[in-house]
Amino acid sequence: MPIPMARKERRHEIIFSFSGLKSHTRRIVRQEMSISEKADIAASFQRAAFQHVVEKAKLAVEQAKKELEICSLAVCGGVASNSLLMDMLKEFSHEKGLQLYSPSQHLCSDNAAMIGWAAIERLQRGKHTSVPPMVSLKPLPKWSLEDTDYIMNAHG
């Protein structure tokens, strides 16, 4: 499986993109194959995606260390319940001399339910933004983590 954003000119950006990996996988799974082959492809996809996440975490830590004293890495949410990702992050943390923090696995769940509940609470209190109806919202499939202007300006 190809590692996402491995091209030299994009390798040093802290941006996530899985489109090439998804397209590559989609082409492969259209072929006829056994359950075992499908399981191998799924495992390869997962490993490549997580390798991408770990590489971007490395970049973020390296960049942060230029200005801050970094001694730990925290991982939470649904991804923290994946043992392969946590093993990869433990290895990375150990290499960099970082303490890895994560809640117990039973406390690591998808954040979507929490975000949805927070939205209900806000709406019930009459707090909402001036965002037009959902049909007119534009998704941002490539949204830089550094770009907070969109949230602050468009969504108050």
Side-chain angles (χ1 to χ4, degrees), residues 61-129:
V61 167
E62 288 170 11
Q63 201 170 78
K65 279 188 170 185
K66 292 176 184 174
E67 299 176 26
L68 304 167
E69 191 174 319
I70 305 292
C71 58
S72 60
L73 177 66
V75 182
C76 58
V79 297
S81 67
N82 187 292
S83 58
L84 174 61
L85 178 60
M86 291 307 295
D87 287 345
M88 293 171 80
L89 289 170
K90 282 175 191 170
E91 183 179 325
F92 156 66
S93 296
H94 181 72
E95 288 171 7
K96 295 293 183 180
L98 301 172
Q99 180 68 42
L100 181 64
Y101 292 99
S102 180
S104 299
Q105 192 172 17
H106 74 279
L107 297 173
C108 297
S109 60
D110 190 348
N111 295 336
M114 181 269 311
I115 292 167
W117 190 264
I120 290 170
E121 294 286 331
R122 284 181 52 86
L123 283 172
Q124 288 176 340
R125 288 185 175 91
K127 295 182 178 183
H128 54 84
T129 61

Side-chain angles (χ1 to χ4, degrees), residues 128-144:
H128 54 84
T129 61
S130 60
V131 176
M134 290 300 290
V135 290
S136 66
L137 288 178
K138 290 183 180 178
L140 297 172
K142 292 184 180 182
W143 187 10
S144 170

